[in-house]
Amino acid sequence: MADRRVIILEAATRMIAQAGVRGLRVERIAEAAGVSTALIYYHFTDRAGMLRETLAFIADRADRYTMPDPDSLDARTVLEQVLLRELQDTEDVRENSTAWGELRSTAIFEDYLRDPLRESTRQWIADITELTAKALAEQSPSPVPDASPVPDASPVPDASTADPAVTTASTADPAAIAERLTALVEGLSERWLSGSIPLTRAQHMLRDSIRIELSAAR
Amino acid sequence: MADRRVIILEAATRMIAQAGVRGLRVERIAEAAGVSTALIYYHFTDRAGMLRETLAFIADRADRYTMPDPDSLDARTVLEQVLLRELQDTEDVRENSTAWGELRSTAIFEDYLRDPLRESTRQWIADITELTAKALAEQSPSPVPDASPVPDASPVPDASTADPAVTTASTADPAAIAERLTALVEGLSERWLSGSIPLTRAQHMLRDSIRIELSAAR
């Protein structure tokens, strides 16, 4: 028997991707999942609990389609594949990215989504930080900083007085590179999904940013 | 007498920033603006027309708070100020950015918002392209490409076979730089507004990206 908890989360993701979070009722998800509303309340306590779990579920599910090819040997190619696979015109990427963007934008108005959103984002950045650190290690014989946990805040250097040619800590820090690249993925993904740019353009911009970030970190 | 069309658009922006687009009724905007619903229909035909105009209104209004200091003489500082002023913890930036993000994410579900969204985004990128071209011209004695109109699509080079150290057209193209930086602003802005990162961190990431992009274009 399939796990009914997963079936509920899949139905919730699909419905959020189709029509958004706002106005989405537990009754309709129960109907789409073929379960009773009581079962949804049993597993998730309330609507907010279900949406929080859906956010984490979507983040986990993205690991499936962003997986690099098994024969990708160099870390740079792996990094590029994992990031670029967030921008694919397949049904599961569209559905997942649309639902993720919708929950993220709902979190601006609904406090209960903020903690799981922050946690899922932090986890994604941590994964990309690890791949970035490997790509940096590969391209440079000199030691690079370890992948450090994503800090909550850091002092803001005054760029106007700094020499722009100098490689600062942030330029070579895999965690900062990962944070910028994942934020760019989110911005480009939303432009693509809302019809402002074609997918090929979004992919092109992301590929160039990866190249520019890795070159700057040398 | 104040322009009642502007009063309506201000009320719509405020209400979208407070509670989102979905479920927002013309009657409530009329009430908040102190006008009749008939006047809203007279000016904007229908709810969709009003939301389309609100999107354009928000984009125009951002020009007010992103204006560079009058004594900023170098183009690089102007570029930095105009972009960083999208990430300020003031009431008008929060309101404008929240409403903009909400309309952008609604455009994924509502087709009638796509054309004005695409047009406002294109205009913003064109403005930043112009500032970027000036900043590039300033830092380099060699000629840089003119600020070209933002293309709808362009061929995607295969980064895996390209020499990452080579400066490609995209790396030095002010339109491509502007497109990446504005997409990053949107991604960082949404992370800030949804509570995933502190404002200072978002500013720091954006400042570093501007520096990295301009250095790569040398």
Side-chain angles (χ1 to χ4, degrees):
Chain A
M1 194 182 95
D3 181 348
R4 287 200 288 179
R5 199 173 160 280
V6 171
I7 291 174
I8 295 167
L9 291 170
E10 282 174 347
T13 304
R14 198 165 59 243
M15 296 189 72
I16 291 168
Q18 278 165 9
V21 171
R22 272 64 69 95
L24 181 63
R25 298 178 59 215
V26 170
E27 288 74 15
R28 295 219 37 219
I29 291 169
E31 205 180 316
V35 302
S36 66
T37 54
L39 191 75
I40 294 185
Y41 291 119
Y42 168 77
H43 279 299
F44 307 106
T45 309
D46 54 17
R47 180 179 182 273
M50 188 198 60
L51 292 175
R52 277 197 297 267
E53 295 282 326
T54 305
L55 216 156
F57 175 75
I58 291 169
D60 287 346
R61 212 168 63 157
D63 291 346
R64 253 181 8 203
Y65 56 73
T66 57
M67 196 93 79
D69 294 337
D71 59 348
S72 298
L73 292 178
D74 61 304
R76 184 205 176 90
T77 304
V78 170
L79 174 67
E80 217 178 68
Q81 285 178 347
V82 169
L83 287 172
L84 278 160
R85 283 174 184 180
E86 299 282 355
L87 301 171
Q88 294 180 78
D89 196 8
T90 62
E91 205 182 305
D92 51 349
V93 176
R94 263 191 184 271
E95 181 182 294
N96 228 44
S97 297
T98 302
W100 171 265
E102 171 68 6
L103 284 163
R104 191 182 60 226
S105 94
T106 306
I108 295 175
F109 305 101
E110 308 282 349
D111 282 354
Y112 61 86
L113 286 172
R114 294 188 159 216
D115 283 345
L117 176 68
R118 193 185 303 110
E119 175 51 28
S120 292
T121 303
R122 196 201 59 73
Q123 185 54 55
W124 181 30
I125 296 173
D127 291 348
I128 300 299
T129 299
E130 206 183 310
L131 298 180
T132 303
K134 285 183 188 156
L136 293 183
E138 188 181 80
Q139 76 179 3
S140 161
S142 63
V144 294
D146 280 340
S148 53
V150 180
D152 263 358
S154 59
V156 181
D158 184 355
S160 60
T161 59
D163 179 355
V166 172
T167 297
T168 67
S170 161
T171 309
D173 175 13
I177 295 172
E179 196 168 343
R180 288 190 292 266
L181 288 175
T182 53
L184 182 68
V185 167
E186 291 185 334
L188 290 171
S189 177
E190 188 133 330
R191 283 194 181 171
W192 159 51
L193 293 169
S194 62
S196 285
I197 52 169
L199 180 62
T200 50
R201 179 90 189 154
Q203 291 166 331
H204 185 178
M205 291 293 116
L206 176 57
R207 195 177 274 119
D208 282 349
S209 273
I210 297 170
R211 191 166 46 73
I212 291 166
E213 285 278 1
L214 293 183
S215 296
R218 270 164 204 273
Chain B
M1 195 181 96
D3 183 348
R4 287 199 288 178
R5 201 174 159 281
V6 170
I7 291 173
I8 295 166
L9 291 170
E10 283 174 347
T13 304
R14 197 165 60 242
M15 298 189 70
I16 291 168
Q18 279 165 8
V21 171
R22 274 65 69 94
L24 180 63
R25 298 177 59 215
V26 170
E27 288 74 14
R28 295 219 36 219
I29 291 169
E31 205 180 316
V35 303
S36 66
T37 54
L39 190 76
I40 293 184
Y41 291 119
Y42 168 76
H43 279 299
F44 307 105
T45 309
D46 54 17
R47 179 178 184 274
M50 188 198 61
L51 292 176
R52 276 196 299 265
E53 295 283 325
T54 305
L55 216 156
F57 175 75
I58 291 169
D60 286 347
R61 213 167 62 156
D63 291 347
R64 255 184 2 207
Y65 56 72
T66 56
M67 196 93 78
D69 295 339
D71 59 348
S72 297
L73 292 178
D74 62 304
R76 184 205 176 89
T77 304
V78 170
L79 174 67
E80 219 179 65
Q81 285 178 346
V82 169
L83 286 172
L84 277 160
R85 284 175 183 180
E86 300 282 355
L87 301 171
Q88 294 180 78
D89 196 9
T90 62
E91 205 182 305
D92 50 349
V93 176
R94 263 191 184 271
E95 181 182 293
N96 228 44
S97 296
T98 302
W100 170 265
E102 171 68 5
L103 284 162
R104 190 182 60 224
S105 96
T106 307
I108 295 175
F109 305 101
E110 308 281 350
D111 283 353
Y112 62 85
L113 286 172
R114 294 187 158 214
D115 283 346
L117 176 68
R118 194 185 303 112
E119 174 52 27
S120 292
T121 303
R122 196 200 60 73
Q123 184 56 55
W124 181 30
I125 296 172
D127 292 347
I128 300 299
T129 298
E130 206 183 309
L131 298 180
T132 304
K134 284 184 190 157
L136 293 183
E138 188 181 79
Q139 75 179 6
S140 160
S142 63
V144 294
D146 279 342
S148 52
V150 180
D152 263 359
S154 61
V156 181
D158 183 357
S160 60
T161 60
D163 178 352
V166 171
T167 297
T168 67
S170 161
T171 310
D173 175 13
I177 296 171
E179 196 168 343
R180 287 189 293 267
L181 288 176
T182 54
L184 182 68
V185 167
E186 291 185 334
L188 291 171
S189 176
E190 188 133 331
R191 283 194 182 171
W192 160 51
L193 292 169
S194 62
S196 285
I197 50 170
L199 180 62
T200 50
R201 180 91 188 152
Q203 291 166 333
H204 185 177
M205 291 293 116
L206 177 57
R207 195 177 274 118
D208 282 348
S209 273
I210 297 169
R211 191 167 45 75
I212 291 167
E213 285 279 359
L214 293 183
S215 296
R218 272 164 203 271

